[in-house]
Amino acid sequence: MNSEDLFNEAKKYLPGGVDSPIRAFKPYPFFVSKGIGSKIFDVDGNSYIDYCLGYGPAILGHSHEAIVKAVGEQIAIGTIYGTPTEKEIELAKMVVERVPCVEMLRFVNSGTEATMSAIRLARGFTNKNKIVKFEGGYHGCHDYVLIKPGSGGAIKPDSLGIPEDTSKNTLSLPFNDEEALIQLVDKHKDEIATIIVEPVMGNIGCLQPKNGFLKLLRDITKENNILLIFDEVITGFRLSYGSAQEYFNVIPDLVTFGKILGGGFPIGAFGGRKEIMGMISPSGGVYQAGTFNGNPVSITGGITTLNELNKSFYVSLNKKGEYLRSQIHDSIEDLSLNLNLSGLASMFQIYFRNGDILNYDDVKKSDIKKFNKYFKTLLKNGIFIPPSQFECCFISNAHNHDDLEKTANIIHDVLKEL
Ligand SMILES: *Cc1c(COP(=O)(O)O)cnc(C)c1O
């Protein structure tokens, strides 16, 4: 069956034909037969240079040799034991060594679980209830973070099935807005347990913090007994050896990981200082548990991946990012287009609008129709980027100069055509 037939078949058994909504792009998603290095292949006989990379995890490219080998060896000796393995200590030590804020961590199964547990921990530690997030920030799909601004500054659940009462404990702020942040904290400081933020907002494209914004967040939370959580599910092990907190030199109280940390296998983690993490069960009273926590397959994927991600890895990967962005930048200049190219390290996105982009409201003014056309035309030409203006493109170490040059040329031609 081809992708179109498979999608029609899938729709009979899976809601919307997919297992996560972003995958259901129109008219139908391509069904993958395999992924190797920088490319993925579909059942219709096409291949694509992949800048989606599973929405970030595949930083070494697909089916990396070292991962195939190490994970294969692990699978051969068992995949689940329900009792600890030495490998959990090994990966924990690697994260502690790299990431400034982490002295201890708990492995879970997804980014959603990581933020859910970190928020519970922050509430337990501060003995306060409210949380603050930023408009357009994505922290997984659990109830407290799935909210949208309602009328008159109120917060509404962003899904059916979430009680209005649940959302009442979440407050929302525009990103990069110092004044709004100061006012909100001033008003609610005795109730706010935590502020959770993506240091680079990777779920509304690739939106970067203004100079000094993360530092202000750090200072204001410290002064008011509020825990600062960096949601580094995307930026963790993506931006640099020690993640975004090292890149921006702002150290949060807690951090959440996912995506890259599992080397392509399901994982999540949250960590921080001993004094805070010691409150997690069984050593403390904040409950957290999971059948697949610390799963040896995912942990092996993580150890093998982090072993590859040494400091020189990032120099080489980020050079690829700089090269591709400079080529796209030149195309935008040459063609005198009103587009905004954003990106850093190995992340990038083109916003289909001009002018400064500081927050979610600015991103929403992008020309979505144009973006969709850009996405579809790239796909036709063998380039796969995430199918939404609100996602971010990623580069892997498997992308070689030919891949990047070809991509730059195709993007040039597609932008010209638009
Ligand atoms: C993907 C993502 C999550 C959720 O992770 P899942 O593994 O999909 O549950 C949380 N936060 C951020 C910043 C993410 O990008």
Side-chain angles (χ1 to χ4, degrees):
M1 274 197 274
N2 61 26
S3 290
E4 187 172 8
D5 294 340
L6 284 170
F7 189 54
N8 287 329
E9 185 76 358
K11 279 191 285 193
K12 292 185 207 158
Y13 305 102
L14 306 165
V18 291
D19 277 310
S20 194
I22 183 79
R23 298 177 197 169
F25 58 80
K26 289 192 166 67
Y28 53 85
F30 62 86
F31 278 63
V32 175
S33 58
K34 64 182 175 187
I36 300 172
S38 62
K39 298 194 182 64
I40 48 173
F41 300 77
D42 69 15
V43 296
D44 311 305
N46 305 302
S47 75
Y48 308 89
I49 306 175
D50 185 8
Y51 294 93
C52 182
L53 297 172
Y55 293 90
I59 193 168
L60 299 174
H62 296 282
S63 57
H64 186 272
E65 218 182 314
I67 292 183
V68 172
K69 181 166 179 288
V71 168
E73 284 167 11
Q74 176 59 51
I75 289 173
I77 55 171
T79 60
I80 178 85
Y81 309 125
T83 188
T85 64
E86 192 174 343
K87 282 186 176 174
E88 292 163 61
I89 310 172
E90 189 181 344
L91 185 57
K93 275 186 175 167
M94 290 172 100
V95 175
V96 168
E97 189 267 315
R98 300 168 74 113
V99 183
C101 86
V102 182
E103 290 176 357
M104 272 188 156
L105 71 165
R106 164 68 52 92
F107 291 113
V108 293
N109 303 292
S110 67
T112 295
E113 282 178 49
T115 65
M116 189 173 77
S117 308
I119 287 169
R120 180 180 295 164
L121 175 57
R123 286 176 163 147
F125 184 79
T126 59
N127 206 15
K128 296 192 271 185
N129 276 334
K130 288 204 190 305
I131 67 166
V132 179
K133 72 177 283 290
F134 291 92
E135 289 161 16
Y138 181 69
H139 307 292
C141 60
H142 58 92
D143 288 4
Y144 285 111
V145 290
L146 214 52
I147 53 125
K148 63 181 173 201
S151 56
I155 297 299
K156 292 232 163 276
D158 199 10
S159 164
L160 292 176
I162 300 177
E164 300 253 341
D165 280 357
T166 308
S167 306
K168 282 190 184 136
N169 276 315
T170 306
L171 303 165
S172 171
L173 277 174
F175 194 57
N176 278 330
D177 187 335
E178 287 100 345
E179 269 310 299
L181 170 66
I182 291 166
Q183 276 180 22
L184 187 92
V185 170
D186 196 45
K187 191 166 166 208
H188 294 285
K189 56 178 176 267
D190 297 332
E191 302 165 286
I192 299 172
T194 180
I195 300 183
I196 185 167
V197 64
E198 295 176 73
V200 174
M201 297 195 87
N203 288 281
I204 47 172
C206 181
L207 184 63
Q208 296 175 54
K210 270 199 319 205
N211 244 340
F213 186 69
L214 295 176
K215 173 79 168 50
L216 173 66
L217 261 176
R218 177 61 287 183
D219 293 343
I220 204 169
T221 46
K222 201 171 236 166
E223 283 159 20
N224 292 285
N225 182 31
I226 295 167
L227 293 189
L228 178 61
I229 303 176
F230 273 8
D231 183 351
E232 297 221 40
V233 171
I234 286 179
T235 55
F237 315 108
R238 166 64 63 184
L239 287 192
S240 80
Y241 184 82
S243 303
Q245 52 195 270
E246 177 193 65
Y247 188 94
F248 293 109
N249 193 24
V250 175
I251 315 303
D253 298 294
L254 290 171
V255 61
T256 55
F257 295 115
K259 299 197 167 109
I260 287 174
L261 181 62
F265 295 86
I267 206 166
F270 61 102
R273 292 193 301 280
K274 276 187 186 155
E275 156 205 24
I276 310 173
M277 290 303 294
M279 289 192 73
I280 290 290
S281 56
S283 69
V286 176
Y287 194 69
Q288 203 293 322
T291 302
F292 286 100
N293 283 4
N295 176 261
V297 178
S298 298
I299 295 284
T300 302
I303 291 170
T304 315
T305 299
L306 291 198
N307 267 330
E308 299 286 325
L309 305 185
N310 54 29
K311 289 186 180 164
S312 63
F313 174 95
Y314 290 96
V315 175
S316 133
L317 181 65
N318 294 353
K319 265 196 196 131
K320 294 178 186 191
E322 274 154 36
Y323 169 75
L324 186 55
R325 282 192 303 273
S326 77
Q327 296 295 102
I328 297 172
H329 177 83
D330 290 351
S331 295
I332 291 173
E333 297 259 295
D334 287 350
L335 300 164
S336 311
L337 300 171
N338 287 325
L339 302 178
N340 185 315
L341 170 68
S342 180
L344 75 173
S346 54
M347 299 167 63
F348 67 98
Q349 179 62 300
I350 300 175
Y351 291 111
F352 281 75
R353 56 157 299 184
N354 56 358
D356 282 350
I357 298 191
L358 290 173
N359 56 42
Y360 188 39
D361 277 346
D362 294 338
V363 175
K364 279 193 292 194
K365 288 178 195 139
S366 302
D367 188 336
I368 306 294
K369 269 197 189 133
K370 266 226 171 100
F371 176 90
N372 290 341
K373 219 165 162 192
Y374 163 75
F375 163 73
K376 268 183 203 154
T377 321
L378 286 184
L379 197 65
K380 242 184 248 158
N381 286 283
I383 309 285
F384 179 44
I385 62 167
S388 162
Q389 175 72 91
F390 301 96
E391 298 287 340
C392 180
C393 303
F394 300 101
I395 299 169
S396 83
N397 203 42
H399 288 79
N400 60 27
H401 187 74
D402 279 358
D403 290 330
L404 300 173
E405 193 173 29
K406 188 175 167 199
T407 303
N409 289 335
I410 290 172
I411 288 180
H412 179 94
D413 293 347
V414 170
L415 290 179
K416 193 172 171 187
E417 212 178 293
L418 290 174

